[in-house]
């Protein structure tokens, strides 16, 4: 049949803006405050862990600040709950009196003593403003402070300032007269004899309390300086190879350079066994490493439970536990065991890539950096690298198979979770480059289909064998291959940056802006309703295809508000729901009217960036967003799971449907605590009643019957049970989604 191209321009006058009923789920930040980019970790002699965070105080709320953890309790210091003048912390140090010195980005220095905060403004006799980049205390009670971006006046600026405080007086060192290139000091450190070392461009200078001298034969930029337990000086440079030099007072040791390529270090620490731990903020596979004096061991997010490959700060507590600060929170490492410190509960991160609702009405949530989350409307369960066999903490997509197993596509392979254990598939054990998975779908035969982010390929897996499709053996382009869809006929729809492709198992067909009415070649999502309409979301509007007739919808020819469609979901009445980029929220299209829903939450994003949408068994829409967390929405009123499930469980009843998804037949089983009348109805996705069993009285205990769906087509259905115990008139309801795959 020849394809007929027809673009139908529909102008709808009825445009509705509404709010509906919303609920927002965000991390519970009473451990590390919201905005948990950790800039500094410092352990005091009482083993309290101090966290300096990057943040701000503006119209959207407060983030960042200072946190203290004693192993049991947390204390928070921000501009909202204390006299802390700035929420962007750069440096932390402790003096001989156990006072905590805190350096800030824009507001100088404060001293915390018994939770009382006082400003330390003595340096302002020399200049008006600067970032307290580094603070260190010597054994004599002197405090040494390195400032950067120093403002003396509106016309007088210096890149650095070096300040000393002896407990009474403040001293400023003239960096120009001391010969530092461009009056710049990049780093400071004290040796075991309290000599001060200052690193700069191709020079290191030493101050013994009276005189300055230069370290000979050093020709790199000293961005970081520290000393090991034997007194040797370690210098981290900003060379492209991430070089580390060691100086023993006479000779430079170059052997340690080989094997560490993580960029210039943010911290170098030494444990009780004299192992060196090196961190870099630059990211990559070598950004965190251990050196045992002979060889290097590298840690990254693929071979450990690090929150991020780049680490901004390190410290070791009195138990030997290593604390790592990252742009997304803190984690600890101790003898191979990892633990996270980023939020106290709930969803672990505000960026939700995918939300999928299973047949038990559990919400499965894919997050960046913090793994897979299960939410059953009352409790949160997190599966990450610290407590499970998940292959990676960056989860891009989720799909649920006919056995109820959860498949997750991550940045480091494919994971299958059967409720107890994990199977992992990656290039190492499959021979296929499936490490960075972008999208996953399952067809009616149970075959898995997936795309990868950077390999520009489509893969299939039948449980035993893998097959790859790319530009060398199919019509697929060499450019980006992204989202997938599988229609009622088991055809595979592949979205790319060159339009979309349909694969029927033998032949490929491509539709793009040149050979069809597709409004944009960047195709981002698919959906298929029970009326056999195919819906395609693009970066430039919505497309509907049925019987080779095309309809194109966008803000130019309809009252749509958004253009760039992330995801499409279809409700029980066949209404089309779209989630948009660029803070444009969600839209419902009932084939007559357009309803737009949006809201500005405390994240200050300016609106909802909807990455993923899915309906639960009660008709609520779950929305995964960028930086607004997980959202729950209903046009009328949110129907909580407790209204049905908890009420049902309180009646003492129990229901299970297995298998589900199913092929033609499934068992509907239930347990009654007393004799009850049971009425069973099956509804289509559009809400049409397709099957109704004759109500009958069942005895107490277990009962079941076989539901035969031979006369029904593949698709989504809903099973509704109404139970009325003989001792009361109260009705108990149970509704469950069924997936029929033929």
């Amino acid at each position: 049949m020849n394809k007929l191209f027809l673009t139908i321009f529909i102008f709808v006058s009825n445009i509705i803006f509404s709010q509906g009923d919303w609920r927002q789920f965000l991390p519970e930040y009473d451990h590390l405050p919201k905005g948990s980019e950790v800039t500094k970790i410092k352990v005091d002699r009482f083993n309290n862990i101090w966290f300096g965070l990057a943040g701000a105080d503006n119209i959207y709320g407060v983030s960042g600040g200072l946190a203290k953890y004693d192993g049991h309790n947390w204390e928070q210091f921000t501009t909202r709950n204390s006299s802390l003048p700035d929420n962007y912390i750069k440096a932390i140090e402790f003096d001989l009196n156990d006072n905590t010195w805190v350096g800030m980005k824009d507001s100088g220095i404060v001293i915390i003593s018994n939770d009382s905060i006082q400003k330390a403004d003595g340096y302002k006799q020399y200049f008006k403003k600067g970032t307290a980049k580094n603070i260190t205390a010597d054994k004599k009670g002197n405090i040494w402070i390195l400032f950067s971006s120093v403002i003396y006046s509106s016309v007088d600026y210096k890149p650095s300032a070096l300040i000393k405080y002896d407990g009474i007086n403040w001293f400023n060192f003239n960096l120009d007269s001391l010969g530092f290139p461009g009056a710049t000091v990049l780093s400071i450190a004290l040796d075991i004899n309290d000599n001060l070392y200052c690193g700069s461009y191709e020079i290191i200078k030493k101050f013994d309390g009276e005189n300055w001298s230069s370290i000979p034969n050093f020709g790199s930029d000293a961005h970081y300086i520290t000393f090991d337990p034997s007194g040797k000086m370690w210098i981290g440079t900003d060379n492209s190879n991430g070089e580390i030099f060691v100086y023993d007072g006479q000779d430079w040791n170059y052997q340690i350079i080989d094997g560490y390529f993580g960029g210039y270090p943010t911290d170098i620490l030494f444990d009780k066994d004299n192992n060196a731990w090196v961190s870099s903020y630059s990211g990559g596979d070598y950004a965190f490493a251990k050196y045992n004096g002979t060889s290097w061991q590298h840690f990254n997010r693929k071979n450990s439970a690090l929150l991020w490959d780049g680490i901004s700060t390190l410290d070791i507590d009195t138990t030997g536990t290593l604390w790592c600060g990252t742009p997304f929170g803190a984690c600890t490492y101790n003898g191979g065991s990892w633990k996270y410190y980023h939020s106290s509960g709930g969803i672990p991160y505000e960026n939700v890539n995918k939300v999928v609702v299973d047949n038990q009405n559990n919400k499965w949530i894919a997050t960046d950096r913090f793994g897979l989350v299960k939410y059953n409307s009352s409790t949160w369960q997190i599966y990450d690298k610290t407590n499970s066999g998940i292959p990676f903490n960056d989860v891009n997509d989720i799909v649920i198979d006919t056995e109820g197993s959860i498949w997750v596509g991550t940045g480091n392979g494919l994971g299958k979770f059967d409720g107890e254990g994990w199977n992992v598939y990656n290039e190492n054990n499959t021979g296929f480059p499936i490490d960075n998975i972008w999208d996953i779908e399952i067809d009616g035969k149970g075959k898995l289909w997936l795309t990868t982010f950077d390999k520009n390929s489509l893969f299939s897996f039948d449980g035993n064998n893998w097959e790859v499709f790319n530009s060398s053996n199919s019509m697929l382009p060499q450019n980006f291959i992204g989202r997938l869809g599988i229609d009622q006929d088991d055809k595979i729809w592949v979205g790319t940056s060159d339009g979309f492709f349909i694969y029927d198992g033998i032949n490929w067909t491509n539709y793009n802006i040149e050979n069809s009415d597709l409004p944009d070649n960047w195709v981002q999502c698919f959906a298929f309703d029970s009326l056999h309409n195919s819906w395609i979301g693009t970066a430039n509007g919505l497309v509907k295809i049925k019987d080779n007739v095309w309809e194109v919808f966008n803000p130019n020819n309809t009252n749509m508000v958004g253009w760039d469609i992330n995801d499409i979901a279809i409700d029980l009445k066949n209404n089309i729901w779209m989630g948009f980029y660029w803070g444009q929220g969600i839209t419902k299209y009932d084939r007559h009217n357009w309803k737009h829903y949006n809201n500005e939450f405390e994240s200050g994003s300016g609106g909802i960036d909807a990455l993923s949408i899915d309906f639960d068994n009660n008709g609520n829409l779950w929305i995964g967003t960028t930086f607004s967390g997980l959202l729950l929405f209903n046009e009328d009123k949110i129907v909580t799971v407790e209204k049905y499930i908890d009420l049902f469980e309180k009646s003492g009843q129990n229901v299970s449907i297995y298998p589900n998804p199913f092929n033609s037949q499934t068992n509907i089983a239930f347990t009654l605590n007393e004799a009850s009348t049971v009425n069973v109805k099956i509804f289509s996705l559009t809400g049409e009643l397709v099957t109704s069993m004759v109500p009958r009285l069942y005895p107490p205990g277990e009962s079941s019957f076989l539901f035969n769906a031979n006369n029904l087509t593949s698709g989504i259905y809903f099973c509704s049970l109404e139970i009325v115990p003989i001792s009361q008139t109260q009705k108990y309801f149970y509704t469950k989604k069924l997936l029929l795959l033929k």
Side-chain angles (χ1 to χ4, degrees), residues 672-731:
L672 305 174
N673 66 341
E674 64 175 297
S676 305
T677 299
V678 179
N679 185 10
V680 181
K681 296 180 180 180
I682 307 295
F683 296 90
S684 71
L685 187 63
T686 62
E688 177 187 2
L689 179 64
V690 296
T691 301
S692 180
M693 286 51 167
V694 176
R696 56 168 291 189
L697 183 67
Y698 286 88
E702 297 182 0
S703 298
S704 67
F705 61 88
L706 188 66
F707 169 55
N708 192 315
N710 287 328
N711 61 332
L712 300 178
T713 60
S714 296
I716 296 174
Y717 296 88
F718 287 85
C719 175
S720 174
L721 277 76
E722 177 188 279
I723 297 179
V724 183
I726 60 174
S727 65
Q728 53 186 295
T729 58
Q730 171 71 53
K731 295 180 180 181

Side-chain angles (χ1 to χ4, degrees), residues 542-675:
L542 176 70
V543 178
K544 171 190 170 185
I545 305 175
K546 184 175 183 180
D547 298 329
N548 290 328
V549 177
W550 290 51
E551 298 179 43
V552 179
F553 308 90
N554 59 49
N556 287 340
N557 61 30
T558 74
N559 282 318
M560 283 178 65
V561 171
W563 293 81
D564 205 343
I565 302 172
N566 272 326
D567 202 8
I568 302 173
I570 301 173
D571 66 19
L572 289 175
K573 298 179 181 178
N574 262 340
N575 297 312
I576 310 303
W577 291 80
M578 291 153 278
F580 290 92
Y581 272 119
W582 313 117
Q584 293 177 323
I586 57 174
T587 293
K588 171 189 171 184
Y589 175 52
D590 65 4
R591 294 172 172 77
H592 299 286
N593 302 316
W594 302 85
K595 288 187 178 181
H596 301 277
Y597 300 93
N598 211 341
N599 210 337
E600 291 190 17
F601 293 95
E602 62 180 2
S603 62
S605 63
I608 299 167
D609 221 7
L611 298 179
S612 170
I613 56 178
D614 196 16
F615 285 96
D616 66 19
N617 293 350
N618 298 316
N620 302 310
L621 186 65
W622 292 82
I623 308 166
T625 74
T626 304
F627 303 125
S628 293
L630 178 65
L631 304 179
L632 176 59
F633 172 76
N634 197 304
E635 283 188 292
D636 300 317
K637 183 176 177 58
I638 291 173
V639 181
T640 63
V641 174
E642 290 80 3
K643 180 176 180 180
Y644 294 101
I645 303 301
D646 281 0
L647 183 62
F648 194 86
E649 290 175 350
K650 289 175 184 176
S651 72
Q653 328 297 338
N654 184 32
V655 176
S656 62
I657 300 177
Y658 59 92
N660 189 20
F662 66 100
N663 184 345
S664 298
Q665 293 181 338
T666 188
N667 294 291
I668 300 176
F670 44 89
T671 302
L672 305 174
N673 66 341
E674 64 175 297

